[in-house]
């Protein structure tokens, strides 16, 4: 199955919007990373679609590798060892500590000194497509890049299912972290006693 850079921005955006619309943990992260109020509401499809568009546009404009497989069934946003796309710190310092500061410490500990890495900011499979093997094709390509170029692959899984999928491809979880505690419940609803969500910082190290 071919995996290549996108040629149709709108089609790519629609696939990602379909993949993440109404996903509680994604909703929280999208609001936080773009400094938008959680009060917009997880059921606000227009708002979450706009946040997804903003992510894709930001990475596209900064030259990230926006890849597609299966005729735009799966879309992935990768930064490369030679290109780090800036993501500004947010107005929430507690969030910054979890997602930026702690993450950096783990990566510096896990990834051998001097080794660069690809970072998977986002991957989504359009639920309207029933094509199989599109996610596998995407990861097989980048695992081959990692092994050939002696680079690591880094990502954050935002659900147990995603964690298990990435583990199947050889990613190892090096940091389980909680976010959104006291802000939202597991359904993404505002809740001052909410349990929030669980994330996993995962790294694939080259095998050669």
């Amino acid at each position: 199955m071919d995996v290549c850079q996108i040629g149709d921005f709108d089609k790519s955006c629609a696939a990602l919007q379909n993949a993440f619309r109404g996903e509680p943990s994604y909703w929280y992260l999208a609001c936080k990373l773009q400094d938008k109020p959680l009060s917009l509401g997880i059921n606000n499809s227009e708002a979450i679609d706009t946040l997804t568009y903003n992510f894709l546009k930001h990475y596209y404009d900064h030259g990230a590798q926006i890849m597609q497989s299966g005729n735009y069934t799966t879309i992935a946003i990768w930064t490369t060892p030679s290109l780090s796309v800036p993501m500004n710190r947010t107005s929430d310092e507690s969030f910054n500590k979890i997602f930026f500061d702690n993450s950096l410490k783990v990566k510096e500990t896990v990834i051998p000194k001097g080794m660069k890495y690809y970072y998977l900011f986002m991957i989504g499979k359009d639920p309207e497509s029933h094509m199989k093997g599109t996610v596998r094709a995407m990861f097989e390509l980048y695992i081959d890049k990692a092994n050939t170029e002696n680079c690591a692959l880094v990502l954050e899984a935002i659900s147990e299912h995603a964690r298990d999928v990435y583990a199947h491809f050889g990613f190892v979880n090096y940091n389980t972290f909680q976010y959104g505690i006291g802000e939202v419940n597991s359904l993404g609803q505002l809740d001052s006693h909410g349990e929030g969500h669980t994330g996993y910082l995962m790294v694939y190290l080259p095998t050669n």
Side-chain angles (χ1 to χ4, degrees), residues 48-207:
I48 197 168
D49 283 354
T50 298
L51 295 174
T52 301
Y53 170 87
N54 292 344
F55 279 142
L56 184 61
K57 187 70 163 54
H58 175 77
Y59 278 86
Y60 182 84
D61 287 347
H62 283 85
Q65 291 184 352
I66 316 295
M67 308 295 288
Q68 68 88 14
S69 60
N71 191 26
Y72 293 85
T73 291
T74 291
I75 307 296
I77 301 175
W78 296 88
T79 65
T80 71
S82 60
L83 177 68
S84 177
V85 175
M87 180 61 72
N88 293 332
R89 295 174 71 87
T90 76
S91 60
D92 185 336
E93 282 305 319
S94 295
F95 179 85
N96 291 338
K97 182 177 180 180
I98 293 170
F99 264 84
F100 295 110
D101 302 335
N102 292 351
S103 175
L104 179 60
K105 291 178 182 177
V106 173
K107 286 184 285 189
E108 289 177 343
T109 301
V110 171
I111 300 174
K113 187 175 181 179
M115 180 179 287
K116 298 183 178 181
Y117 62 88
Y118 289 89
Y119 172 63
L120 178 61
F121 174 72
M122 189 176 188
I123 183 170
K125 181 180 180 181
D126 191 339
E128 294 182 359
S129 173
H130 299 291
M131 185 176 294
K132 296 181 179 180
T134 57
V135 172
R136 173 177 292 278
M138 184 71 67
F139 277 106
E140 285 180 345
L141 173 64
Y142 278 83
I143 287 170
D144 182 65
K145 286 177 179 287
N147 292 334
T148 301
E149 300 171 19
N150 195 38
C151 291
L153 305 176
V154 178
L155 57 82
E156 289 99 5
I158 59 174
S159 70
E160 289 186 10
H161 172 71
R163 177 201 62 191
D164 294 344
V165 170
Y166 302 144
H168 176 75
F169 290 113
F171 286 80
V172 176
N173 174 36
Y174 288 98
N175 184 36
T176 299
F177 55 92
Q178 309 298 131
Y179 57 99
I181 296 174
E183 294 182 278
V184 296
N185 60 28
S186 62
L187 300 178
Q189 300 163 333
L190 293 176
D191 186 345
S192 60
H193 301 288
E195 66 271 40
H197 304 290
T198 303
Y200 311 88
L201 177 62
M202 306 186 73
V203 179
Y204 174 90
L205 295 174
T207 57

